[in-house]
Amino acid sequence: MDTIIIDGLSFALPLFIMAIGGIYSEKSGITNLAIEGLQGFGAFVGALAVVLLSKFANLEVQSLFYVALIFSMLGGMVYSMLHALLCINFKANQVISGVVINILAAALTVFLTTQVNSLMLGAVSDKFQLGVSNRLTIPVLSSIPVIGAMFKSIYPFEIVIVVIAFIAWYVLYKTRYGLRLRACGDNPHSVDAAGVEVSKIRFKAVMVSGALSGLGGMCFAYSISANFSPSIYMGYGYLAIAALIFGNWKILSTLGACLLFGFAKSGGYKLGQVLELPSTFSDLIMILPYVITLLLLIFFSKSNRSPRALGEIYDKGKR
């Protein structure tokens, strides 16, 4: 049971912070299918910063953990500006823009990783080796029956995510900026009538989405794969989008969806171990989160209410 909770949280929380980024973007009215590409590009920038610093500054990779998180957020934020530019300034189709961002990120990061390894690190590889992040256990709290597992063998990034998620919730629901952002997704003309520039609010929201997606991608790189490689593009961004839709674009509801996906993944893995299934069937069980996603969207999507202006190109002269 402890293993299911520990592994479930380590998968659910990066997914959750990516979904929060999606909520910020879509609550402002910008459809964001680019989360998959943003998390991959952010993870690439974070991993690149780590390997270059460890190579040329003779620093241990493990000591650069927080540096990787910061650079991944910066990388995701900068790359998300391309999506914001296309959708807001050039009024491009937001769905197509998201798909293009994802495809471009997958191709560009693999190419750049190969070139950096070859030209600067003297290696023939499409991976940046990072190693698995150290874990920590919180005394006293970890000894509580059942829920104590939430405080055992946790990655440092899980604490970072919880703190950032709380700040994101507070900003979205308790500040003037959050009120204006949510109004941009429901009635952007009222925001414009109040003298606030809708495009600026939306641009910032997409940048927040990029930063949080990059953070989530870096966390997956440190926890699941122990490196940056093309395997980072495993559909986690799309799973985050499904979670925010199932959570009805609300942060707390989205957390519940992410926990469900996380425990389905860790529970499926544990089930495969208990039943001693061959690797073929064990891999099949790993599709549980995606199957659950399909079922939830089939049965609950009709009751979901997206922001009224989501995906609409804002025209100042249109009323």
Side-chain angles (χ1 to χ4, degrees):
M1 185 64 180
D2 283 4
T3 304
I4 294 174
I5 294 175
I6 292 168
D7 292 343
L9 284 174
S10 67
F11 180 79
L13 289 178
L15 202 65
F16 177 48
I17 203 65
M18 289 161 60
I20 291 177
I23 289 172
Y24 263 73
S25 177
E26 301 207 345
K27 277 285 192 181
S28 75
I30 301 296
T31 301
N32 197 346
L33 296 183
I35 294 177
E36 179 77 0
L38 297 177
Q39 64 98 16
F41 195 87
F44 163 76
V45 174
L48 177 63
V50 167
V51 296
L52 291 182
L53 283 173
S54 64
K55 172 74 173 178
F56 298 108
N58 294 319
L59 298 172
E60 289 290 332
V61 172
Q62 291 294 337
S63 67
L64 297 170
F65 174 76
Y66 293 103
V67 173
L69 296 187
I70 292 170
F71 273 91
S72 66
M73 294 180 72
L74 291 173
M77 183 172 63
V78 171
Y79 189 56
S80 68
M81 292 172 67
L82 178 59
H83 183 54
L85 195 66
L86 289 171
C87 297
I88 298 170
N89 295 73
F90 294 105
K91 303 184 188 305
N93 183 288
Q94 296 173 13
V95 173
I96 294 175
S97 173
V99 173
V100 169
I101 292 293
N102 291 338
I103 295 172
L104 179 63
L108 189 61
T109 54
V110 172
F111 170 75
L112 291 176
T113 302
T114 305
Q115 293 303 307
V116 170
N117 273 322
S118 175
L119 299 176
M120 302 182 70
L121 304 178
V124 182
S125 175
D126 62 351
K127 300 178 181 180
F128 289 144
Q129 295 296 333
L130 300 172
V132 178
S133 171
N134 296 323
R135 295 185 183 232
L136 54 93
T137 298
I138 301 176
V140 182
L141 294 176
S142 60
S143 60
I144 301 173
V146 185
I147 64 170
M150 297 170 59
F151 306 99
K152 291 179 183 176
S153 298
I154 61 176
Y155 291 107
F157 65 70
E158 294 180 55
I159 299 173
V160 173
I161 287 174
V162 170
V163 172
I164 292 177
F166 176 78
I167 295 171
W169 173 85
Y170 183 85
V171 170
L172 188 61
Y173 295 111
K174 301 295 181 181
T175 66
R176 181 179 296 179
Y177 172 77
L179 178 64
R180 290 172 174 174
L181 186 149
R182 287 180 282 128
C184 283
D186 283 321
N187 191 350
H189 292 287
S190 66
V191 178
D192 185 55
V196 179
E197 198 165 340
V198 173
S199 60
K200 285 187 177 179
I201 296 286
R202 288 183 166 182
F203 207 102
K204 290 176 182 177
V206 175
M207 290 176 67
V208 169
S209 176
L212 298 185
S213 297
L215 174 62
M218 194 73 248
C219 295
F220 279 131
Y222 265 113
S223 61
I224 294 178
S225 58
N227 59 56
F228 173 83
S229 70
S231 65
I232 196 74
Y233 300 100
M234 289 284 288
Y236 301 139
Y238 299 113
L239 205 55
I241 294 170
L244 71 90
I245 293 173
F246 176 56
N248 211 15
W249 288 267
K250 296 176 181 176
I251 289 179
L252 293 180
S253 302
T254 300
L255 173 60
C258 291
L259 290 173
L260 179 63
F261 295 154
F263 293 142
K265 186 176 187 298
S266 60
Y269 182 74
K270 185 66 176 177
L271 180 63
Q273 287 184 324
V274 170
L275 298 178
E276 297 181 352
L277 296 175
S279 60
T280 306
F281 292 98
S282 181
D283 291 339
L284 187 62
I285 291 176
M286 289 296 100
I287 69 170
L288 269 177
Y290 305 98
V291 173
I292 291 174
T293 300
L294 289 174
L295 294 176
L296 290 177
L297 292 178
I298 289 170
F299 291 108
F300 294 100
S301 60
K302 290 181 181 179
S303 62
N304 289 342
R305 294 291 179 269
S306 64
R308 285 178 293 178
L310 178 61
E312 293 182 7
I313 296 173
Y314 177 64
D315 184 356
K316 200 169 186 176
K318 185 181 177 182
R319 297 285 178 182

PDB file of all heavy atoms in Angstrom, residues 267-283 285:
ATOM      1  N   GLY A 267      -0.763   1.613  -8.982  1.00  0.00           N
ATOM      2  CA  GLY A 267      -1.511   0.409  -8.622  1.00  0.00           C
ATOM      3  C   GLY A 267      -1.412  -0.669  -9.691  1.00  0.00           C
ATOM      4  O   GLY A 267      -1.292  -1.853  -9.386  1.00  0.00           O
ATOM      5  N   GLY A 268      -1.439  -0.232 -10.955  1.00  0.00           N
ATOM      6  CA  GLY A 268      -1.297  -1.196 -12.046  1.00  0.00           C
ATOM      7  C   GLY A 268       0.067  -1.846 -12.053  1.00  0.00           C
ATOM      8  O   GLY A 268       0.197  -3.058 -12.287  1.00  0.00           O
ATOM      9  N   TYR A 269       1.100  -1.051 -11.776  1.00  0.00           N
ATOM     10  CA  TYR A 269       2.462  -1.587 -11.719  1.00  0.00           C
ATOM     11  C   TYR A 269       2.594  -2.593 -10.579  1.00  0.00           C
ATOM     12  O   TYR A 269       3.183  -3.662 -10.738  1.00  0.00           O
ATOM     13  CB  TYR A 269       3.457  -0.446 -11.538  1.00  0.00           C
ATOM     14  CG  TYR A 269       4.903  -0.891 -11.509  1.00  0.00           C
ATOM     15  CD1 TYR A 269       5.551  -1.286 -12.685  1.00  0.00           C
ATOM     16  CD2 TYR A 269       5.628  -0.909 -10.320  1.00  0.00           C
ATOM     17  CE1 TYR A 269       6.875  -1.691 -12.669  1.00  0.00           C
ATOM     18  CE2 TYR A 269       6.944  -1.315 -10.289  1.00  0.00           C
ATOM     19  CZ  TYR A 269       7.568  -1.704 -11.466  1.00  0.00           C
ATOM     20  OH  TYR A 269       8.879  -2.116 -11.443  1.00  0.00           O
ATOM     21  N   LYS A 270       2.010  -2.258  -9.419  1.00  0.00           N
ATOM     22  CA  LYS A 270       2.067  -3.149  -8.258  1.00  0.00           C
ATOM     23  C   LYS A 270       1.297  -4.445  -8.533  1.00  0.00           C
ATOM     24  O   LYS A 270       1.730  -5.539  -8.153  1.00  0.00           O
ATOM     25  CB  LYS A 270       1.477  -2.440  -7.037  1.00  0.00           C
ATOM     26  CG  LYS A 270       1.593  -3.225  -5.733  1.00  0.00           C
ATOM     27  CD  LYS A 270       3.042  -3.387  -5.306  1.00  0.00           C
ATOM     28  CE  LYS A 270       3.158  -4.075  -3.959  1.00  0.00           C
ATOM     29  NZ  LYS A 270       4.560  -4.294  -3.557  1.00  0.00           N
ATOM     30  N   LEU A 271       0.176  -4.316  -9.228  1.00  0.00           N
ATOM     31  CA  LEU A 271      -0.624  -5.497  -9.571  1.00  0.00           C
ATOM     32  C   LEU A 271       0.160  -6.442 -10.463  1.00  0.00           C
ATOM     33  O   LEU A 271       0.129  -7.670 -10.281  1.00  0.00           O
ATOM     34  CB  LEU A 271      -1.915  -5.064 -10.276  1.00  0.00           C
ATOM     35  CG  LEU A 271      -2.879  -6.169 -10.713  1.00  0.00           C
ATOM     36  CD1 LEU A 271      -3.407  -6.927  -9.494  1.00  0.00           C
ATOM     37  CD2 LEU A 271      -4.032  -5.586 -11.520  1.00  0.00           C
ATOM     38  N   GLY A 272       0.894  -5.866 -11.420  1.00  0.00           N
ATOM     39  CA  GLY A 272       1.719  -6.691 -12.295  1.00  0.00           C
ATOM     40  C   GLY A 272       2.796  -7.434 -11.533  1.00  0.00           C
ATOM     41  O   GLY A 272       3.121  -8.587 -11.839  1.00  0.00           O
ATOM     42  N   GLN A 273       3.368  -6.785 -10.502  1.00  0.00           N
ATOM     43  CA  GLN A 273       4.384  -7.437  -9.672  1.00  0.00           C
ATOM     44  C   GLN A 273       3.783  -8.562  -8.828  1.00  0.00           C
ATOM     45  O   GLN A 273       4.362  -9.639  -8.715  1.00  0.00           O
ATOM     46  CB  GLN A 273       5.058  -6.411  -8.761  1.00  0.00           C
ATOM     47  CG  GLN A 273       6.005  -5.461  -9.477  1.00  0.00           C
ATOM     48  CD  GLN A 273       6.703  -4.535  -8.506  1.00  0.00           C
ATOM     49  OE1 GLN A 273       6.126  -4.096  -7.516  1.00  0.00           O
ATOM     50  NE2 GLN A 273       7.967  -4.219  -8.780  1.00  0.00           N
ATOM     51  N   VAL A 274       2.624  -8.298  -8.229  1.00  0.00           N
ATOM     52  CA  VAL A 274       1.984  -9.293  -7.357  1.00  0.00           C
ATOM     53  C   VAL A 274       1.588 -10.534  -8.148  1.00  0.00           C
ATOM     54  O   VAL A 274       1.769 -11.673  -7.694  1.00  0.00           O
ATOM     55  CB  VAL A 274       0.752  -8.677  -6.663  1.00  0.00           C
ATOM     56  CG1 VAL A 274      -0.066  -9.756  -5.947  1.00  0.00           C
ATOM     57  CG2 VAL A 274       1.184  -7.611  -5.673  1.00  0.00           C
ATOM     58  N   LEU A 275       1.068 -10.313  -9.351  1.00  0.00           N
ATOM     59  CA  LEU A 275       0.629 -11.436 -10.183  1.00  0.00           C
ATOM     60  C   LEU A 275       1.779 -12.084 -10.943  1.00  0.00           C
ATOM     61  O   LEU A 275       1.576 -13.086 -11.627  1.00  0.00           O
ATOM     62  CB  LEU A 275      -0.438 -10.965 -11.182  1.00  0.00           C
ATOM     63  CG  LEU A 275      -1.742 -10.421 -10.570  1.00  0.00           C
ATOM     64  CD1 LEU A 275      -2.683  -9.941 -11.660  1.00  0.00           C
ATOM     65  CD2 LEU A 275      -2.423 -11.501  -9.714  1.00  0.00           C
ATOM     66  N   GLU A 276       2.982 -11.482 -10.825  1.00  0.00           N
ATOM     67  CA  GLU A 276       4.185 -11.975 -11.501  1.00  0.00           C
ATOM     68  C   GLU A 276       3.950 -12.150 -13.002  1.00  0.00           C
ATOM     69  O   GLU A 276       4.277 -13.176 -13.599  1.00  0.00           O
ATOM     70  CB  GLU A 276       4.642 -13.303 -10.873  1.00  0.00           C
ATOM     71  CG  GLU A 276       5.039 -13.164  -9.404  1.00  0.00           C
ATOM     72  CD  GLU A 276       5.519 -14.471  -8.810  1.00  0.00           C
ATOM     73  OE1 GLU A 276       5.394 -15.507  -9.485  1.00  0.00           O
ATOM     74  OE2 GLU A 276       6.034 -14.450  -7.679  1.00  0.00           O
ATOM     75  N   LEU A 277       3.370 -11.124 -13.580  1.00  0.00           N
ATOM     76  CA  LEU A 277       3.063 -11.165 -15.007  1.00  0.00           C
ATOM     77  C   LEU A 277       4.323 -10.937 -15.823  1.00  0.00           C
ATOM     78  O   LEU A 277       5.243 -10.226 -15.398  1.00  0.00           O
ATOM     79  CB  LEU A 277       2.041 -10.082 -15.357  1.00  0.00           C
ATOM     80  CG  LEU A 277       0.659 -10.215 -14.709  1.00  0.00           C
ATOM     81  CD1 LEU A 277      -0.191  -8.998 -15.058  1.00  0.00           C
ATOM     82  CD2 LEU A 277      -0.042 -11.490 -15.180  1.00  0.00           C
ATOM     83  N   PRO A 278       4.412 -11.552 -17.008  1.00  0.00           N
ATOM     84  CA  PRO A 278       5.552 -11.270 -17.890  1.00  0.00           C
ATOM     85  C   PRO A 278       5.542  -9.812 -18.324  1.00  0.00           C
ATOM     86  O   PRO A 278       4.521  -9.129 -18.234  1.00  0.00           O
ATOM     87  CB  PRO A 278       5.329 -12.219 -19.082  1.00  0.00           C
ATOM     88  CG  PRO A 278       3.931 -12.699 -18.964  1.00  0.00           C
ATOM     89  CD  PRO A 278       3.505 -12.568 -17.556  1.00  0.00           C
ATOM     90  N   SER A 279       6.671  -9.348 -18.789  1.00  0.00           N
ATOM     91  CA  SER A 279       6.822  -7.928 -19.103  1.00  0.00           C
ATOM     92  C   SER A 279       5.797  -7.436 -20.121  1.00  0.00           C
ATOM     93  O   SER A 279       5.357  -6.285 -20.064  1.00  0.00           O
ATOM     94  CB  SER A 279       8.235  -7.659 -19.634  1.00  0.00           C
ATOM     95  OG  SER A 279       8.487  -8.415 -20.798  1.00  0.00           O
ATOM     96  N   THR A 280       5.390  -8.313 -21.044  1.00  0.00           N
ATOM     97  CA  THR A 280       4.407  -7.915 -22.062  1.00  0.00           C
ATOM     98  C   THR A 280       3.102  -7.490 -21.417  1.00  0.00           C
ATOM     99  O   THR A 280       2.539  -6.431 -21.729  1.00  0.00           O
ATOM    100  CB  THR A 280       4.140  -9.075 -23.041  1.00  0.00           C
ATOM    101  OG1 THR A 280       5.374  -9.525 -23.576  1.00  0.00           O
ATOM    102  CG2 THR A 280       3.215  -8.625 -24.160  1.00  0.00           C
ATOM    103  N   PHE A 281       2.593  -8.303 -20.487  1.00  0.00           N
ATOM    104  CA  PHE A 281       1.337  -7.994 -19.817  1.00  0.00           C
ATOM    105  C   PHE A 281       1.518  -6.851 -18.820  1.00  0.00           C
ATOM    106  O   PHE A 281       0.599  -6.076 -18.578  1.00  0.00           O
ATOM    107  CB  PHE A 281       0.801  -9.240 -19.111  1.00  0.00           C
ATOM    108  CG  PHE A 281       0.357 -10.323 -20.050  1.00  0.00           C
ATOM    109  CD1 PHE A 281       1.195 -11.395 -20.342  1.00  0.00           C
ATOM    110  CD2 PHE A 281      -0.878 -10.257 -20.681  1.00  0.00           C
ATOM    111  CE1 PHE A 281       0.800 -12.393 -21.212  1.00  0.00           C
ATOM    112  CE2 PHE A 281      -1.283 -11.247 -21.561  1.00  0.00           C
ATOM    113  CZ  PHE A 281      -0.445 -12.318 -21.826  1.00  0.00           C
ATOM    114  N   SER A 282       2.694  -6.762 -18.239  1.00  0.00           N
ATOM    115  CA  SER A 282       2.972  -5.672 -17.309  1.00  0.00           C
ATOM    116  C   SER A 282       2.911  -4.329 -18.030  1.00  0.00           C
ATOM    117  O   SER A 282       2.375  -3.347 -17.500  1.00  0.00           O
ATOM    118  CB  SER A 282       4.359  -5.867 -16.683  1.00  0.00           C
ATOM    119  OG  SER A 282       4.636  -4.839 -15.766  1.00  0.00           O
ATOM    120  N   ASP A 283       3.447  -4.276 -19.247  1.00  0.00           N
ATOM    121  CA  ASP A 283       3.372  -3.054 -20.047  1.00  0.00           C
ATOM    122  C   ASP A 283       1.930  -2.719 -20.402  1.00  0.00           C
ATOM    123  O   ASP A 283       1.551  -1.546 -20.474  1.00  0.00           O
ATOM    124  CB  ASP A 283       4.193  -3.200 -21.328  1.00  0.00           C
ATOM    125  CG  ASP A 283       5.690  -3.256 -21.050  1.00  0.00           C
ATOM    126  OD1 ASP A 283       6.092  -2.799 -19.961  1.00  0.00           O
ATOM    127  OD2 ASP A 283       6.436  -3.764 -21.906  1.00  0.00           O
ATOM    128  N   ILE A 285      -0.701  -3.269 -18.575  1.00  0.00           N
ATOM    129  CA  ILE A 285      -1.347  -2.695 -17.396  1.00  0.00           C
ATOM    130  C   ILE A 285      -1.002  -1.212 -17.259  1.00  0.00           C
ATOM    131  O   ILE A 285      -1.781  -0.430 -16.707  1.00  0.00           O
ATOM    132  CB  ILE A 285      -0.937  -3.481 -16.120  1.00  0.00           C
ATOM    133  CG1 ILE A 285      -1.550  -4.881 -16.159  1.00  0.00           C
ATOM    134  CG2 ILE A 285      -1.380  -2.767 -14.858  1.00  0.00           C
ATOM    135  CD1 ILE A 285      -1.138  -5.765 -15.006  1.00  0.00           C
TER     136      ILE A 285
END
